[in-house]
Structures are given as structure tokens and as C-alpha cells.
Amino acid sequence: MQQQRNTNFYAIGLSYKKADAEVRGHFSLSETAKIAILKQARTKGIKSLLLVSTCNRTEIYGFAERPCILIDLLCDNTKGTVEEFQNVAYVHKNNDAISHMFKVGSGLDSQILGDFEIIGQLKSGAKKSKNAGLLNSYLERLVNSVIRASKRIKTETELSSGATSVSFASVQYIMSNVKHISEKNILLFGTGKIGRNTCENLVKHTKNTHITLINRTKDKAEAVAGKFNLLVKDYRNLQEEINISDIVIVATGAQNPTVYKSLIQTKKPLLILDLSIPKNVNEDVRDLENITLVHLDDLAKITDETLEKRKAYIPAAETIIYEINVEFNAWLDTLKFVPTIQAIKHKLTDLKNSEFSTQRKKLDNFNEEQAELISSNLIQKITNQFAHHLREDSNSSDESIELIKKIFQLETTKNV
């Protein structure tokens, strides 16, 4: 695939490090927004980009002449403004953007150290971009390299020892702050990825059988409940279930609050955990004295001995990232001579076609099929020799490329 001249590879975005949950919510990308950005990117001449939107970050990786093009794409399709973005954002370019993706995908940049759930987002984003024709060889190779690094870190280090996700942190919080947890009524509202993981952790660690699931699409809740023999209620029963619960966990993908003060009539203590971005529990519930509201940003601040121990494995993870990053950069270096090899092949093919035309006129019994086979094999062997030389002699490959261009009088295009 061709990369346009004067473009660079950028990673633009915001995360939990500088943007609180409310601001992150302004830039959260719904599935509809992602589709819109991919369509809009094509109209702006962008050849390759990848979208990531999780509870703790929103990012765009892509090629553009200037990062503001990608920033405008994000702001045009979310509630966020350019001014708001600039207050909390980061912009990484070329090698720095590559390094950033490795850190994100490896769990080193996660809100909870070692949380690898972002890898699923990178895979999903790459698939969507590829289906839209917006994933060039550079970005696809980079994503695959990050996935490799993530897998090696999981298997070769204990950076992700135990559970590390926000969903586990929520269950850990409940177990630390609620007495007789196995006897409490728990409502889980939302059965997306975070909801499913939270449900699994609840069943595993609390031994609670009084867990009810609600989802706008009931069959999705039933699919999750079936694995653990849990109860499912209709969305229309949400208010009723909230008021008979001791703990409510909200993990929906809604763009606006779905739980608010007027839904709550119970006077008994009620713990509400909001694991959603944007926030799905209205702040007005804090007006009720019996309500304790905890957001995922609060959960991420929880540290324990296990989390502290994981920090010891950061150097080992960074070594793995370095090794795979070196491999990726070596692959990038080979790309600079790909256009030259292609140009040589085209030049030799043109010479072959010209010679064929001459021989057809000279020879009545010219065997074009046999000549085509022999000449094509020779062209491939010649170009392979050039490619081998350039790969093996990387220190002087720039000089070799210029000499080859001069000898063959080549015009090449820049590829990625």
C-alpha cells in the first residue's frame, strides 16, 4: 500500500492520566461514531487509521499530514471539543507513537498495571479498519507485533499475575467493604465485556447466588446468566430490582445516565458501582444519604500487595517490548527499498515485452509461451538478488538504492 508523501504516523488521544471520567466520557466513541469516523477518514484522504475507545482511554492511530486532522475527526464525532482535548491530550509521532502502542497493548499504560483487556480493543479496531480498507501493511504489522509482545509478557512474566482488570477491582472493593457478601442481593446492569467479566469475578470470589442480570437486550443477559445459573430480569424491571438490591453494578454502554435519583426509593444502604464511560449513574444519587456511589476511577486507585509485586516485572516486560520493537523497526527499514525492487521488476518486464515484440517480427516460429516462462523466472531471480543484497547490506543500502536507480533510470513511489 502506498503512503502519501509528507504524512507521518501519529497516536492522538487522552487517558485516565490527565482526563477524569467525565471528560473521557465526552470523547468516548460509540460503535456508530467509529463507523462515522472511518467513513469520514476516507473522504479526507486518510489511508490508514485505527480507533480505540475503552473506559480509560480514547485514541486514534493513523497517518496524516498533521495531527490536527485526526483530532478534528475525533471531536467531530464525539461530544468533546478541540479546546477540551488540548487540555488533557497527548500526541505522539512516528517512533514515539509506535512505542506508545506497545506500552498500551502490554498493560504498562493501563489504569490498573497489567490489565491486558486493551488488546481485544486493538484487535477489534484493526478488524474494523481492515474491513473499511483503512489498514495498511505498516499499521497491521505494528498491531500484530504489539499482540506478540502482549502474549510473551503474559507467558514470560507475572505482570498480569492474578486478576488485574477494573472488573476484578470492583469485586475486590465489594469484598473489602461489604460484610456478609454472600447474603447480599446484587444487581448487574449491563452485560458487555466489563459486565461479563465482573459477573464471572462475582461468582468466583463472592460465592453469592443472589445475583440478577439486566440488559437492554435480554438475550445477551440470558447468555451470560446461563453459564452461572443466575437470574435475568427484563429491562422494564430495572427500578424494581434496584430497590430490592444491596449492591448495584452498572456497566452499560449507554451515552447518557441510565440510573438516577428518581429511580431510588429504598431507604436501606445501597452501594452503586459505576463501571461505565461515559458515566451511567447520575451524580444526583449522591443527594440520598443511604447511597454510596463509587466510580471506576476510584477503583483504579486501590492498591494491594499483588499489584505492588507486579511492578517488579516491568523491566522484564520492557525488555520483551524492546526486542519486538527492534524487529518491527528492522522490517520498516526493509520497506525503503521495496519500491526500488518493484521498479526494477517493472523495468525488466518492459524490456522483456519490447524484446518479445522484436522477436515476433523476426521469428516465424517464436515460442512465446516458453520464452515467457524463462524470462519471468530470470526476472524474479534478478530482483531477488537485488533484494538480498539490500537486506544484507543495510548500512549502505541508501547508497545502493541510489546507484540502482541511476543505472536503471528508475522512478519509484513511496510505499508502506
Side-chain angles (χ1 to χ4, degrees):
M1 277 184 198
Q2 288 190 340
Q3 177 193 339
Q4 292 172 296
R5 292 181 182 276
N6 303 319
T7 64
N8 291 290
F9 179 57
Y10 291 103
I12 66 102
L14 65 155
S15 75
Y16 67 94
K17 291 183 177 180
K18 291 183 67 176
D20 61 23
E22 182 177 356
V23 173
R24 297 202 306 277
H26 294 168
F27 293 92
S28 178
L29 292 173
S30 64
E31 290 304 307
T32 301
K34 290 177 182 178
I35 293 170
I37 287 179
L38 292 174
K39 288 182 178 178
Q40 195 174 336
R42 295 183 69 89
T43 65
K44 290 183 176 292
I46 294 173
K47 301 299 183 183
S48 184
L49 87 167
L50 186 151
L51 307 173
V52 171
S53 185
T54 72
C55 60
N56 56 37
R57 72 179 65 248
T58 297
E59 297 180 333
I60 298 180
Y61 297 89
F63 290 88
E65 292 183 16
R66 301 178 308 281
C68 61
I69 296 173
L70 301 178
I71 295 168
D72 286 342
L73 272 178
L74 177 62
C75 295
D76 287 348
N77 292 279
T78 62
K79 297 177 181 178
T81 65
V82 172
E83 292 74 23
E84 189 176 28
F85 180 85
Q86 289 172 338
N87 289 333
V88 297
Y90 44 80
V91 175
H92 302 296
K93 179 179 177 182
N94 295 332
N95 288 336
D96 288 339
I98 293 170
S99 296
H100 179 71
M101 187 189 284
F102 271 106
K103 288 178 183 176
V104 169
S106 67
L108 291 179
D109 200 60
S110 296
Q111 196 167 19
I112 296 180
L113 180 64
D115 184 351
F116 285 97
E117 290 187 3
I118 187 68
I119 277 293
Q121 285 277 344
L122 285 170
K123 289 179 180 177
S124 176
K127 185 177 181 180
K128 286 183 174 69
S129 293
K130 191 165 188 176
N131 290 340
L134 286 168
L135 191 73
N136 64 7
S137 57
Y138 180 115
L139 194 48
E140 185 170 26
R141 182 88 174 214
L142 176 57
V143 171
N144 288 334
S145 295
V146 171
I147 292 170
R148 282 179 54 218
S150 171
K151 287 180 178 177
R152 280 191 57 189
I153 291 169
K154 282 182 182 179
T155 57
E156 298 176 27
T157 79
E158 294 183 39
L159 185 71
S160 60
S161 59
T164 57
S165 64
V166 169
S167 58
F168 175 73
S170 65
V171 176
Q172 188 180 41
Y173 178 89
I174 291 170
M175 293 175 67
S176 299
N177 291 274
V178 179
K179 295 179 179 179
H180 311 298
I181 182 62
S182 62
E183 302 170 9
K184 302 299 182 180
N185 291 323
I186 302 176
L187 171 63
L188 175 61
F189 177 33
T191 54
K193 186 168 184 179
I194 290 179
R196 293 194 303 271
N197 291 344
T198 302
C199 183
E200 183 175 350
N201 282 312
L202 281 169
V203 173
K204 180 179 178 181
H205 297 287
T206 68
K207 311 300 181 185
N208 189 306
T209 57
H210 311 289
I211 301 174
T212 300
L213 307 185
I214 292 180
N215 196 69
R216 287 180 184 272
T217 308
K218 189 176 181 180
D219 58 353
K220 291 183 179 179
E222 289 173 338
V224 176
K227 297 179 182 178
F228 307 107
N229 195 29
L230 303 177
L231 187 64
V232 174
K233 289 294 182 74
D234 291 327
Y235 176 64
R236 65 174 179 269
N237 298 122
L238 178 63
Q239 183 172 5
E240 175 188 345
E241 291 300 319
I242 287 175
N243 286 289
I244 62 173
S245 297
D246 300 295
I247 302 165
V248 176
I249 302 170
V250 183
T252 76
Q255 294 299 300
N256 296 296
T258 52
V259 176
Y260 33 89
K261 179 180 175 181
S262 61
L263 288 179
I264 302 172
Q265 282 83 45
T266 182
K267 300 299 181 183
K268 65 179 181 179
L270 176 61
L271 171 62
I272 302 178
L273 283 78
D274 188 357
L275 309 186
S276 310
I277 291 289
K279 289 182 177 180
N280 270 208
V281 179
N282 197 305
E283 287 292 315
D284 66 2
V285 303
R286 295 187 189 275
D287 297 340
L288 301 173
E289 293 183 359
N290 60 315
I291 302 299
T292 300
L293 175 61
V294 178
H295 195 263
L296 62 85
D297 279 2
D298 303 312
L299 296 171
K301 296 172 185 175
I302 297 173
T303 58
D304 58 19
E305 291 182 8
T306 303
L307 195 59
E308 288 300 314
K309 287 178 181 177
R310 288 190 201 116
K311 292 180 180 179
Y313 299 99
I314 291 176
E318 290 175 336
T319 298
I320 292 170
I321 290 172
Y322 174 78
E323 291 172 0
I324 295 181
N325 200 344
V326 166
E327 292 177 12
F328 177 74
N329 286 328
W331 175 78
L332 279 185
D333 286 341
T334 67
L335 293 185
K336 65 185 178 185
F337 62 75
V338 169
T340 301
I341 298 300
Q342 291 176 340
I344 291 172
K345 195 168 188 176
H346 290 148
K347 186 75 172 185
L348 293 174
T349 300
D350 288 342
L351 292 172
K352 177 204 73 173
N353 291 336
S354 177
E355 185 61 24
F356 273 27
S357 179
T358 299
Q359 294 304 322
R360 286 192 202 99
K361 296 173 183 177
K362 288 183 177 181
L363 302 174
D364 293 334
N365 59 345
F366 176 57
N367 189 333
E368 187 165 339
E369 184 176 344
Q370 188 67 23
E372 175 68 37
L373 178 62
I374 294 171
S375 59
S376 293
N377 287 340
L378 283 172
I379 289 172
Q380 188 61 52
K381 288 180 179 180
I382 292 168
T383 53
N384 285 347
Q385 284 292 105
F386 278 113
H388 178 75
H389 166 73
L390 292 172
R391 287 194 191 97
E392 294 300 312
D393 191 22
S394 58
N395 291 333
S396 60
S397 59
D398 289 341
E399 293 85 349
S400 296
I401 288 172
E402 290 307 312
L403 180 60
I404 291 169
K405 286 181 180 179
K406 187 174 181 180
I407 292 172
F408 285 91
Q409 298 178 331
L410 302 179
E411 291 184 4
T412 61
T413 57
K414 189 177 182 182
N415 282 284
V416 168

